Amino acid sequence: MAPLRSLGERIIVLGPSNAGKSTLALALSEKLRLPVVHLDQLRHLPNTNWRERSDEEFAALHDRAIGSDRWIIEGNYSRLMPQRFQRATGAILITSNRWFRLGRYMRRTFDKPSARAGQLAGAKERMKWEMVDWILFKTPANAARYSKIIKAADVPTVECHSAKELGALYGQWGLSVPKPRKAP
């Protein structure tokens, strides 16, 4: 596994829904003192039920974020990946079993409400059948596609394909699970 410092100061974190991207991004931010950008927070308007910004506004916010010298950006949004990878100095892909990710989603929606990593300001976490469908049937193919993209990238990369591998990554890099920050 690549040493953490080899990933540089512009790190992409990719993976399917509920794989732990936001939590990993915050853990990396605390360790490396790099700012975190949660793409879901750029794509969606705060204090809405996940209402999307226009494609143009989202692309402008994305491009402004990647124009910075130092960042950790978590999220996918494939259409904007090429320019993100042009600026990146390292990339991490985390995936896991879809049933494990579904369990994470269920805990997130049924447990006592609390702040979570990458949460959209004002959004309430509640069970949505569209999200269950997305996790179980839409995202499994994405993991293979993201793996192909990351392997083709001209930057140091790390891939974790299970919760156990992700836990080992936390241990090897001396990361701790961060306390979630309030959404902007």
Side-chain angles (χ1 to χ4, degrees), residues 1-7 24 28 91-95 150 155-175:
M1 187 171 305
L4 177 55
R5 292 285 175 194
S6 74
L7 298 179
L24 177 60
L28 291 168
I92 303 167
L93 171 64
I94 57 174
T95 62
I150 205 169
V155 296
T157 62
V158 173
E159 292 189 50
C160 293
H161 296 289
S162 69
K164 184 177 180 179
E165 287 179 15
L166 184 57
L169 180 78
Y170 271 77
Q172 183 175 349
W173 286 350
L175 303 175

Side-chain angles (χ1 to χ4, degrees), residues 19-95:
K21 297 180 302 291
S22 298
T23 302
L24 177 60
L26 288 178
L28 291 168
S29 172
E30 287 183 6
K31 179 80 173 182
L32 300 173
R33 303 288 183 237
L34 296 173
V36 175
V37 177
H38 300 283
L39 290 180
D40 278 345
Q41 292 175 351
L42 299 185
R43 181 59 172 149
H44 300 91
L45 293 164
N47 301 307
T48 68
N49 189 20
W50 296 95
R51 196 173 83 215
E52 292 184 346
R53 297 178 195 274
S54 71
D55 290 343
E56 296 77 21
E57 185 179 3
F58 174 48
L61 290 170
H62 172 273
D63 292 349
R64 187 175 321 133
I66 66 170
S68 299
D69 289 334
R70 305 170 69 243
W71 42 256
I72 298 166
I73 295 182
E74 69 84 12
N76 302 311
Y77 299 97
S78 301
R79 182 176 63 86
L80 301 175
M81 274 188 204
Q83 56 265 52
R84 202 173 324 138
F85 269 99
Q86 286 177 349
R87 295 273 304 139
T89 56
I92 303 167
L93 171 64
I94 57 174
T95 62

Side-chain angles (χ1 to χ4, degrees), residues 89-109:
T89 56
I92 303 167
L93 171 64
I94 57 174
T95 62
S96 57
N97 175 288
R98 62 184 163 176
W99 298 106
F100 177 79
R101 292 185 295 107
L102 179 62
R104 287 176 57 103
Y105 175 67
M106 303 290 267
R107 281 189 300 282
R108 177 183 291 175
T109 59

